[in-house]
Amino acid sequence: AQREDRRRRRVNIVRHRRWFFLLSALMIVPSLATLATPPALRAGIDFTGGTAITVEFEADAPAAAVRDRVEAAGHEEAIVQSLGDRSYFIRVGELEPETLDDQGDVTDPGGRANLENALGTIAPVRITSVEAVSALVGSENIRNAIFAVVVAAIVIMLYVTWAFRRVPSPLRYGTAAVVALAHDVVIVLGVFSFLGKFADLEVNAMFITGVLTVIGYSVNDTIVVFDRIRENVGRFQAATITELANLSVRET
C-alpha cells in the first residue's frame, strides 16, 4: 500500500494537464488557422467534379512543357503533378465528349483526344488511366461526407452516455468522447489543409473513410480509459476524480 501510494504521488498526470493542454493547443491552433484560410481543403474530383488523367511519356517531358500544353488546350486551371518515371497526373474540368454526325463520323474528337494530341507534341504519350466525376455527383459526395461525420459523432455521444449510465454524470463521458474525437479530426484536417496549400495534395472520397477511421480509433482509445475509470469508481468510492483519473490512465 505504501509503495502504491508513493507511485501515485510520483505519477500525477492530472497535475501536469496544463502541459498537455499546451501541447494540444500547439497542434489545434495552427490547424484551425490553416483551415480558416481558403481553400480549407483542396477538394479532388470526387467533390468538385472533373477529370483526372494519368499519362506516361516515352521520352523525357519537362513539367513546364506539360503544363504549357495543357493550358494551350484550354485548361488554364489544370493541376499538373509529376509522378516520376515520365508520368504525370493531370486534373482538369469536365471534358467535352466525342461528337458524331448523323452518319456516325467523328466531327469533334472531344476534350480527351484534344488533350492527348496537345501532349503528343512533346513526346509520344500514352494515357494510362482516366477518372471522371460530374459536378452533381461531387456536390452529393460533399453532403454525404458531412452527414456521415455528424451522424457518427451524435451516435458515439449517445452510445458512450448509455454505456456509462451507472457512473455519475454519464453525459459528461459522452461529451468528452466527442470533444476528444473532434480534437483528433481537426488535427488531421489541419495537416491535409496545409499539404493541400503547399503540396497540392487533394482529398477525395477515401479521405472521408480515413476521417471516419480516425473517429473510430479515437473513441476506442477514449472508451478504454473511461472503462478503467468506471471500474475504479466502484473500487475506490472515496477517491476524488483526480485520483481516479491518475490511477486509471496509469493502469491503462
Side-chain angles (χ1 to χ4, degrees):
Q2 292 178 350
R3 186 183 304 112
E4 174 64 24
D5 185 63
R6 287 195 302 269
R7 188 174 64 172
R8 183 180 304 179
R9 291 197 302 268
R10 184 172 64 251
V11 186
N12 193 333
I13 298 174
V14 175
R15 184 181 62 185
H16 302 294
R17 63 188 181 277
R18 291 182 178 85
W19 291 105
F20 293 111
F21 290 153
L22 177 61
L23 177 62
S24 176
L26 291 176
M27 295 183 288
I28 287 292
V29 173
S31 297
L32 293 176
T34 187
L35 287 170
T37 305
L41 294 168
R42 185 177 291 276
I45 64 171
D46 289 344
F47 300 116
T48 62
T51 306
I53 303 175
T54 303
V55 300
E56 182 178 354
F57 291 91
E58 296 181 7
D60 292 338
V66 174
R67 188 172 291 105
D68 290 341
R69 297 299 190 280
V70 172
E71 292 179 357
H75 305 287
E76 291 79 7
E77 302 299 326
I79 295 176
V80 178
Q81 293 177 311
S82 175
L83 303 178
D85 297 330
R86 301 173 180 173
S87 298
Y88 287 89
F89 171 83
I90 302 173
R91 180 175 178 269
V92 297
E94 293 187 59
L95 297 176
E96 299 81 6
E98 184 180 69
T99 304
L100 305 176
D101 59 16
D102 295 337
Q103 287 73 35
D105 298 325
V106 177
T107 58
D108 187 343
R112 173 178 172 176
N114 291 333
L115 183 59
E116 186 175 4
N117 292 334
L119 295 174
T121 60
I122 304 175
V125 64
R126 179 173 62 92
I127 296 180
T128 58
S129 67
V130 178
E131 181 182 0
V133 177
S134 69
L136 178 60
V137 174
S139 61
E140 291 178 352
N141 286 338
I142 293 177
R143 289 195 299 269
N144 292 338
I146 296 175
F147 179 78
V149 174
V150 171
V151 169
I154 293 175
V155 172
I156 286 170
M157 183 179 68
L158 295 177
Y159 170 76
V160 174
T161 301
W162 177 82
F164 293 89
R165 62 191 181 278
R166 296 182 179 179
V167 299
S169 304
L171 183 59
R172 293 184 180 180
Y173 287 79
T175 304
V178 172
V179 171
L181 72 87
H183 166 276
D184 298 340
V185 168
V186 167
I187 293 175
V188 172
L189 295 177
V191 170
F192 276 82
S193 177
F194 178 84
L195 295 176
K197 291 178 175 62
F198 297 99
D200 292 331
L201 181 65
E202 297 181 344
V203 298
N204 52 25
M206 288 303 297
F207 175 74
I208 301 304
T209 304
V211 171
L212 293 175
T213 303
V214 170
I215 290 176
Y217 276 103
S218 174
V219 172
N220 178 74
D221 293 345
T222 302
I223 289 180
V224 168
V225 179
F226 282 178
D227 193 53
R228 178 60 66 178
I229 292 177
R230 177 173 57 182
E231 294 179 1
N232 288 331
V233 166
R235 294 170 54 195
F236 308 101
Q237 298 182 3
T240 65
I241 186 62
T242 299
E243 294 172 336
L244 291 173
N246 279 324
L247 177 62
S248 300
V249 172
R250 187 172 65 248
E251 290 178 344
T252 301

